Amino acid sequence: MAAQIIDLKERQQLPQADASSGFASSSGLKAETSQHQLKIPDALREALSSSDLAWSHSNESSNDFRSDSYTKPSLPMLEAIIATSLGDGDTDEDVVTRSLEEYIADLVGHEASLLVASGTMGNLVAHQAALKTPPYSILADARGHFHTFECGGASYLTGVSVRQAFPSNGHHLTLEDVKRQATMGESIYEVPTRIISLENTLNGTIMPLSDVRAISQWAHAQNPPIHLHLDGARVWEAVAAGAFTLREIGEYFDSIQLCFTKGVGAPLGSIVTGSSAYIKRARWSRKLLGGGMRATGLIAASARVAIDDVFFGGKMKAAQGKAKYASDLWEELGGKLAVPTETNIVWLDLPASGLKYEDFYPVAKNFDLKFRDLQPGRLVFHYQISDSALARLADFFRAVLL
């Protein structure tokens, strides 16, 4: 097979660099054509399909409920990588990367965007680009990913103080929560709030657009205006659930980070969106953090396929259906949920269900199910969870609850 790839490499055609190639508007979830009309020789496609490549199957991820980042890249993603451009991403010379950046910016209604290596880097770049002269602070939900699961990078690398707000309704932050916790004074004893960093979805729950709008209008009315950032690593899930469109939520944020690995299933990469001036600053931040990359078409091509195939293709919505089935079954069998299931993450309340750690996690292995106990009771569904794994999960639920 390797010989076939070498023999055929001169016949490969590069994808088109048109960022608007036949897609429906960002007001919905329909895409009319494939990503770039990628073309690779039929003989090469046949060789790839008939091989034992890890790309050609999702066996390892079919029973993996640890996270939606545990998906396996697909064969169409590999085909896109084979046919991609290989320009320098650090100097903005790669046509497929530029096409992806233009496309994502258009989806959320922003002027520009910037490809980064990961969601963690995306949040760091986004925050750093928005911060000017210290002292400054970021106001965020106390459960927010960027300050609980990203090694404290924001504080370590920018010197920013993170002020945590707790949602009074137990679900999502409201304007009153934000007003109560924001630091608006500028005396020598205070650390003014310069960024409000929201997350949607957060732990699988959706922050309503009405609350986003209220916070945005208040933040931008301040003097100086407060930068509003969205950690939208899983905002795809909220859109797939029908809560709003990407452009509708994009209207209220100065910057957004979207992840290409969580849910949509690309091998790597995230993107930061914002105004052209803001993205220019973000490019400096990316370079400072060691994120200047060369042949970024390898990342961009597979990310575009992931968006087309999984997000626009309805596979994300189907995974949410499996999550809802599992959570409904858990409750029917007498189990309790910590929070209602709104998207692709199910939160089982093990103590309230009469279960201890040893009653649950060790038993899962007997049903060939992969769970992670970092956040007890969390099960994450993605588009590669198989029907057979879902059936075994149902059997496991019955075994531990009945």
Side-chain angles (χ1 to χ4, degrees), residues 320-354:
Q320 292 180 3
K322 290 181 177 179
K324 189 65 169 62
Y325 165 80
S327 62
D328 287 348
L329 177 62
W330 178 261
E331 290 188 302
E332 288 171 10
L333 295 171
K336 304 298 181 183
L337 296 176
V339 296
T341 300
E342 298 180 15
T343 54
N344 68 317
I345 302 180
V346 176
W347 288 93
L348 310 177
D349 191 331
L350 299 184
S353 302

Side-chain angles (χ1 to χ4, degrees), residues 139-141 165-169 171-180 182 184 193 195-200 207-222 224-230 249 251-254:
L139 177 64
D141 191 301
F166 292 85
S168 55
N169 58 24
H171 185 272
H172 64 273
L173 290 181
T174 65
L175 177 56
E176 292 309 310
D177 296 325
V178 169
K179 286 182 175 179
R180 186 165 50 250
M184 305 308 297
T193 299
I195 298 175
I196 298 171
S197 190
L198 304 178
E199 186 171 342
N200 207 353
M207 184 177 191
L209 192 63
S210 57
D211 289 287
V212 171
R213 182 187 302 113
I215 293 171
S216 175
Q217 292 173 345
W218 178 83
H220 292 143
Q222 303 311 304
I226 300 174
H227 182 100
L228 195 63
H229 172 68
L230 173 64
I249 195 168
E251 176 184 351
Y252 299 109
F253 287 92
D254 300 295

Side-chain angles (χ1 to χ4, degrees), residues 255-305:
S255 60
I256 302 176
Q257 182 269 125
L258 301 98
C259 185
F260 296 135
T261 63
K262 288 181 177 176
V264 291
L268 71 163
S270 288
I271 202 161
V272 177
T273 70
S275 69
S276 296
Y278 173 80
I279 292 301
K280 181 178 180 180
R281 286 182 53 82
R283 193 176 296 277
W284 283 327
S285 297
R286 184 183 70 175
K287 185 67 174 177
L288 174 67
L289 295 171
M293 298 175 286
R294 301 306 169 189
T296 51
L298 302 174
I299 301 174
S302 55
R304 183 67 180 265
V305 169

